[in-house]
Amino acid sequence: MARVAAPVAAWVLTRAGLLLLVLKAVTLPGPDVTSDVEVIYRGWYEVLRTGTFPVDDVSWQYPPGAALPVLSPGLLPFLGYAHAFFALACAADAAVLALLLRAGRGAGRSRAGAWCWVAGVPLLGPTAYARYDVMVTAVAVAALLAAARRPAVAGALAGFGAMLKVWPVLLLLGAARGRATRLSWGAAAGTAAGAALLAAVALPGAFDFVTAQRDRGTEVESLGALVFHVGRHHGWDGTVELHYGSMEFLGPGVGLVSDLALGLSVLAMGWLVLWRLRAREFTATTGCEAAFAGALLFTTTSRVISPQYMIWLVGLAAVCMTLRAARMALPAGLVLAATAVTLAEFPVWFGEVVGSTGFGIALLALRNGLLVAATVVACRRLWRSTVTAPGRPVDGDAAMPRQRGRSASARNGMLTW
């Protein structure tokens, strides 16, 4: 009981601090991060209630399932929209903690996953509760934790998550070949297709978000943006403007850098496909490790690295840390460090970042450098443990009795998932 009480107590204390921040009882320097909820989400809420998606707002760049978290504050009519949203974000946060505490019980398991979540979310500051990503992450964590015993349930959750914010499709990467892949991928496809059809029939404009995503440029916090931050000190004459819902660089060369970022994302997908084809061994840790590595790859190579993306990475890292046999402790630590630096660059010193000052560039380079390091380490460890490690290929149809891990604790962890 004491082992559970400590992370729960820490969660209560840290989340009380987050609520004070989003309710503005305590404020941080920099822009007000709650304006997205109070202005943008609330505006979308009013449009969605009329029976259509907000297709005239270019900042609406989400799959149709995103309507659910935007509409969810209506479940608490006794609260104002923003307060209801923050309460539901906190509830999703608590649900993740409960899942991780349960997953951390038993042989081969660890409470480190719960502690990773307890520590990681408040490191992002008020942004953690002022975006709906914590809700999506709750679905993703549930999917990963269900994968070993209930691949169809995991697939359905991943498909539902993908309709909320696309990236949970990466949760399917590490499904063992054979039955687990057929069940999880089939359930994901069926759930996503069903949700998409329902959204298209129910509300006009369900898929207009694709155009808005296609037309986005290089956001000021992305890896590629460092080129223009430095360039502003050497004669580059572009500007930073609010564009498609975020602060982006506009000017000479931006299109090229954005295309290069897309190219890197394509290469990342190619690497993941190659890994999937070459992998010889799927252990109890492979599913969460592959999802974590995949999310790191696509976050780091993206044209946009919004602060809330760190919540995804913290959640996936936390799932990895529930397994003692997982090899992701170092990249998980790097993600936690990057999350702390993210709070410094947004919102605290966001003006320095937008202004491309030396300090702002240093902050951004540090955060993005930590993400690149975490990505390289995670991918290297995933490859070594599944492709180059000794062992025979695993038949997915017999994955549970034949699956091999690095230790007895890994096998025990799989059996108690």
Side-chain angles (χ1 to χ4, degrees):
M1 183 63 70
R3 294 178 62 193
V4 173
V8 169
W11 183 90
V12 170
L13 289 173
T14 54
R15 275 40 178 196
L18 283 182
L19 288 171
L20 288 174
L21 287 170
V22 294
L23 295 175
K24 301 179 185 177
V26 178
T27 58
L28 293 176
D32 177 12
V33 303
T34 65
S35 61
D36 273 30
V37 175
E38 296 170 340
V39 178
I40 299 176
Y41 286 12
R42 177 61 187 267
W44 292 342
Y45 172 82
E46 298 296 343
V47 173
L48 287 165
R49 290 178 64 193
T50 68
T52 183
F53 284 93
V55 294
D56 295 327
D57 186 347
V58 294
S59 61
W60 175 264
Q61 300 167 11
Y62 307 108
L68 296 177
V70 172
L71 289 168
S72 63
L75 298 172
L76 304 176
F78 49 88
L79 293 175
Y81 183 87
H83 287 188
F85 185 91
F86 301 145
L88 292 171
C90 186
D93 180 3
V96 174
L97 177 65
L99 289 169
L100 293 169
L101 285 171
R102 185 174 185 275
R105 298 183 305 184
R109 295 312 184 101
S110 173
R111 302 285 186 195
W115 278 111
C116 180
W117 181 255
V118 168
V121 173
L123 286 177
L124 192 60
T127 304
Y129 281 5
R131 306 291 187 272
Y132 78 87
D133 295 79
V134 68
M135 303 173 186
V136 183
T137 302
V139 175
V141 168
L144 276 181
L145 294 177
R149 284 189 169 183
R150 300 177 180 85
V153 172
L157 287 170
F160 175 65
M163 294 306 294
L164 294 173
K165 210 164 188 181
V166 180
W167 70 266
V169 73
L170 297 170
L171 306 177
L172 304 172
L173 286 170
R177 294 192 184 98
R179 180 174 179 272
T181 292
R182 291 194 298 272
L183 286 175
S184 61
W185 291 20
T191 301
L197 179 62
L198 180 62
V201 170
L203 299 174
F207 296 97
D208 284 18
F209 77 97
V210 176
T211 301
Q213 279 289 349
R214 181 194 64 199
D215 294 339
R216 294 196 75 167
T218 297
E219 188 254 350
V220 295
E221 296 165 277
S222 65
L223 188 63
L226 287 168
V227 174
F228 302 112
H229 282 297
V230 175
R232 292 174 89 179
H233 292 271
H234 296 86
W236 183 73
D237 60 355
T239 60
V240 174
E241 296 180 18
L242 183 63
H243 192 241
Y244 285 94
S246 64
M247 300 302 291
E248 296 184 1
F249 280 111
L250 301 176
V254 173
L256 174 61
V257 170
S258 297
D259 290 343
L260 288 174
L262 285 173
L264 286 175
S265 294
V266 171
L267 289 175
M269 175 58 74
W271 185 89
L272 289 168
V273 170
L274 178 64
W275 165 78
R276 175 83 190 179
L277 294 173
R278 294 283 304 277
R280 296 184 297 153
E281 207 169 18
F282 287 80
T283 71
T285 66
T286 302
C288 56
E289 290 178 332
F292 184 40
L296 277 166
L297 275 169
F298 281 102
T299 299
T300 305
T301 60
S302 176
R303 295 171 295 171
V304 179
I305 305 182
S306 295
Q308 60 267 26
Y309 293 7
M310 302 306 299
I311 291 292
W312 319 343
L313 301 178
V314 170
L316 298 180
V319 175
C320 292
M321 296 303 292
T322 62
L323 293 166
R324 295 187 187 277
R327 306 156 186 86
M328 295 295 165
L330 177 55
L334 292 169
V335 163
L336 292 180
T339 304
V341 179
T342 299
L343 174 60
E345 64 92 359
F346 183 88
V348 178
W349 284 295
F350 193 57
E352 302 283 331
V353 173
V354 172
S356 301
T357 68
F359 180 67
I361 294 173
L363 272 179
L364 193 60
L366 176 58
R367 196 282 300 273
N368 289 350
L370 288 166
L371 285 178
V372 169
T375 303
V376 171
V377 174
C379 291
R380 184 170 181 267
R381 292 186 175 187
L382 176 67
W383 186 274
R384 292 185 65 184
S385 66
T386 56
V387 177
T388 61
R392 61 186 178 182
V394 174
D395 178 356
D397 288 314
M400 290 302 289
R402 292 178 57 195
Q403 208 163 20
R404 297 180 63 192
R406 296 179 67 187
S407 65
S409 64
R411 294 191 294 273
N412 291 338
M414 175 184 66
L415 294 173
T416 58
W417 189 277

